[in-house]
Amino acid sequence: MTEEHKAAVNPGQRLSRCALIFLLLALSGIIFLRLNIITLENLSYRTASMLFQPQNSSHPALAQKGPLPPYNNHTICSHLEPTPDEALEDRALLDAIAWPKPPALTSLNQTSDPVHSLFAILPSKGGRERRVGDQLEALVQMQDFQGRPKRYGGDFLVARLHSPDLAAGVAGTVVDHLNGSYSALFPLLWEGPAQVTITMVHSSEAVAVLQRLREQRADRFFFQSLFRSGELSETSVCNMCLPHNRPQEPLCNYTDLHTGEPWYCLKPKRLSCDTRINHFKGGYKKDLVTHKEALLFQSRVNIKVVIHASGPDRIDVLPRKIDNPELENRSIKPEPVKYNPSGYYYKGSWRSFDGTPVRQFDAKSITQCLTGKMINMYGDSTMRQWFEYLRAFVPEFNLRSPAQAGPFMAVDCKHNILLKYRCHGPPLGFSTVGASELRYVANELDRLPGGPNTVVALSLWAHFSPFPVEVYIRRMWHIRRALERLLARGPGTLVVIRSANLRALDKEMSLNHSDWFSLQLDRVLRNMFMGLAVVFVDAWEMTLAHHSPHNIHPPPDIIKNTISLILTQVCPAKKS
């Protein structure tokens, strides 16, 4: 009811028969208009989507391999209907991250127990000595809390081969045999001692709970906005899925007209939608799992617990032999390496697996490398870490921005260096972001001219964990198209994409931001940008291979190695 009606109606006044009829008709008309607000908002969203549908440019990794059934999104955000081209890409990406599901949960005793589980390093073929260039395999047998072997797969395991003496480490890959056993594979990359560490992040039963939460309870993480006009202010709940959740309440529709990315807030009772001044994290909804399911998420019991070896957990690696005729003439040939990591640590420094030397940079060489460059950084706080590292060498221009959200800028006029950081658009779980600073990365990329002196760095993943993976696919889809346009109009632009990384986990963090969610997004990211001229920084392997405890914000040593890797691409060594 409008304020005019409220003023016109006096409940204490005696109304004639005709006045009552008129009042009822007026009320009916107003209720009809309010109920149609949602229809009008959704209509504006669909119109924006039709006006800005990108053209089909599917890359080879997502090529169709046969007829596919119609794609249906049954998540809480099901109002985000994809186009036919998007549906094909969605289906291919969802197939790429498919995860085996365990039988229905009966009791904790029948779930995976890392303490009872064991792994064993398998002997090399023919019993020969292990040398640099060979592959090491460890076999893991998962058991439940009663010590019985598991008969199905789906556990989330991570593996690492490392040497504290050499400050060396490499991430392994884990192969699920779907029968309770797993193979952990490692390339042998250095001479000397090497130790195997295998960790169960989550049991298969816990992963099944995470899948359900992601698909059915995307509302478990919510946001808010403050609306203000003069001395009047109201706070309202916001999210991307509100139309499906609360269809009877009027909404403010903040769907982006260029990308079609949806965002809604419940309309304030006394203020208009254009009085929104900020955006901030609301919090988590509690009690979304049963007591039995909660037992699957216990620190030091079944969250990130190391699996012990049934025998030796370390080996000695001999140097590679190249000019030894006796070795070359052996009937037993080295097994082909089945797994190639992106790189590894040796003596504390990251080395690329492809052999490209990673240069080491001091303050002077960093300034020389960045001279004449414009570095544009977009994303979450893991990208902000890169800006914070580089601003030690480039003076920061104080924009008086919030410390967490930015935007930030650093300028060196003498050397013509410009560094910029801007957070990505919602969903965004920062403390407070001004409404005018909520910008989508695809739109920001479309504003860049690009060129040989332009560097773009992206990291978007941490704030998308609680939402259906289709939300992330959609966001990456728009960013990929924007990058294609940027590279076309600005040849020579260097694009750097940072992957997800591992983090510390407890029960609440697992239910909302588990490494399993991050792994799924990471696989989508790799597939989405495959075939595009970008540099991929594998933060997942750089954190898994490192000796530091997992943290959403990796320690300075990892950041230093990451920046060295990037600057090596910005300023490659001159060929002799």
Side-chain angles (χ1 to χ4, degrees), residues 183-461:
S183 290
L185 306 176
F186 310 90
L188 300 182
L189 301 171
W190 61 82
E191 175 188 350
Q195 180 179 350
V196 174
T197 298
I198 299 175
T199 302
M200 188 189 85
V201 182
H202 294 303
S203 66
S204 57
E205 294 81 10
V207 170
V209 175
L210 298 179
Q211 285 180 297
R212 176 180 63 79
L213 290 175
R214 184 181 68 183
E215 295 167 2
Q216 300 177 11
R217 294 308 305 263
D219 62 336
R220 67 189 186 280
F221 191 90
F222 63 95
F223 307 87
Q224 293 179 301
S225 276
L226 177 65
F227 295 75
R228 178 184 296 157
S229 180
E231 296 182 355
L232 186 63
S233 64
E234 293 182 60
T235 299
S236 184
V237 173
C238 306
N239 218 319
M240 64 176 60
C241 307
L242 286 176
H244 194 79
N245 291 342
R246 310 170 86 151
Q248 302 304 318
E249 298 186 61
L251 301 170
C252 293
N253 184 354
Y254 300 110
T255 295
D256 183 67
L257 293 178
H258 295 283
T259 63
E261 291 288 354
W263 194 256
Y264 301 89
C265 293
L266 295 179
K267 186 182 181 303
K269 298 184 184 303
R270 296 175 293 173
L271 294 173
S272 64
C273 293
D274 58 7
T275 60
R276 182 178 65 148
I277 65 170
N278 65 19
H279 163 98
F280 54 95
K281 178 175 64 176
Y284 302 94
K285 291 187 177 180
K286 309 292 185 180
D287 303 322
L288 298 180
V289 296
T290 65
H291 174 71
K292 188 183 296 184
E293 290 173 333
L295 296 176
L296 300 172
F297 300 94
Q298 301 180 70
S299 298
R300 298 184 296 278
V301 175
N302 46 22
I303 298 177
K304 284 203 175 180
V305 178
V306 171
I307 296 172
H308 295 291
S310 59
D313 63 355
R314 62 198 69 200
I315 61 170
D316 285 314
V317 183
L318 300 178
R320 186 196 307 267
K321 284 190 177 181
I322 300 176
D323 300 321
N324 188 332
E326 181 181 349
L327 180 64
E328 292 297 326
N329 293 330
R330 283 184 178 181
S331 59
I332 301 176
K333 298 293 183 181
E335 294 184 55
V337 175
K338 302 174 184 176
Y339 164 61
N340 294 332
S342 61
Y344 63 102
Y345 291 101
Y346 185 71
K347 295 184 178 179
S349 296
W350 182 257
R351 299 185 176 188
S352 294
F353 188 79
D354 63 7
T356 303
V358 178
R359 298 175 58 192
Q360 300 302 310
F361 293 83
D362 56 17
K364 181 179 179 180
S365 58
I366 287 176
T367 300
Q368 290 175 341
C369 178
L370 295 179
T371 296
K373 299 289 191 298
M374 180 170 68
I375 315 296
N376 305 275
M377 291 167 268
Y378 305 102
D380 52 39
S381 57
T382 61
M383 179 54 62
R384 189 184 68 224
Q385 280 190 285
W386 292 10
F387 177 88
E388 292 168 346
Y389 182 91
L390 290 172
R391 74 180 176 188
F393 311 98
V394 181
E396 183 173 4
F397 185 84
N398 187 2
L399 298 176
R400 291 178 169 81
S401 301
Q404 196 175 43
F408 304 120
M409 180 185 295
V411 182
D412 183 339
C413 295
K414 178 180 178 181
H415 298 96
N416 195 24
I417 301 172
L418 176 62
L419 308 179
K420 296 192 296 181
Y421 165 80
R422 179 174 290 280
C423 63
H424 64 73
L428 187 67
F430 286 161
S431 54
T432 303
V433 185
S436 62
E437 300 298 344
L438 291 174
R439 304 184 190 179
Y440 291 95
V441 171
N443 294 338
E444 295 298 302
L445 294 175
D446 281 337
R447 296 186 180 102
L448 296 178
N453 292 321
T454 300
V455 178
V456 171
L458 307 175
S459 179
L460 297 85
W461 59 276

Side-chain angles (χ1 to χ4, degrees), residues 34-47:
R34 290 179 62 135
L35 289 175
N36 276 275
I37 288 175
I38 296 167
T39 303
L40 292 171
E41 300 286 17
N42 286 336
L43 176 62
S44 67
Y45 162 71
R46 289 195 294 270
T47 303

Side-chain angles (χ1 to χ4, degrees), residues 27-94:
L27 285 171
S28 300
I30 292 171
I31 292 171
F32 176 80
L33 289 173
R34 290 179 62 135
L35 289 175
N36 276 275
I37 288 175
I38 296 167
T39 303
L40 292 171
E41 300 286 17
N42 286 336
L43 176 62
S44 67
Y45 162 71
R46 289 195 294 270
T47 303
S49 297
M50 288 187 287
L51 287 173
F52 296 96
Q53 285 179 2
Q55 298 299 310
N56 178 26
S57 56
S58 299
H59 40 94
L62 303 178
Q64 184 177 353
K65 297 181 180 179
L68 293 172
Y71 170 78
N72 291 305
N73 179 355
H74 297 292
T75 69
I76 200 167
C77 296
S78 58
H79 65 288
L80 304 180
E81 293 297 333
T83 66
D85 290 334
E86 289 174 328
L88 286 177
E89 286 194 298
D90 284 2
R91 180 57 184 263
L93 289 167
L94 292 173

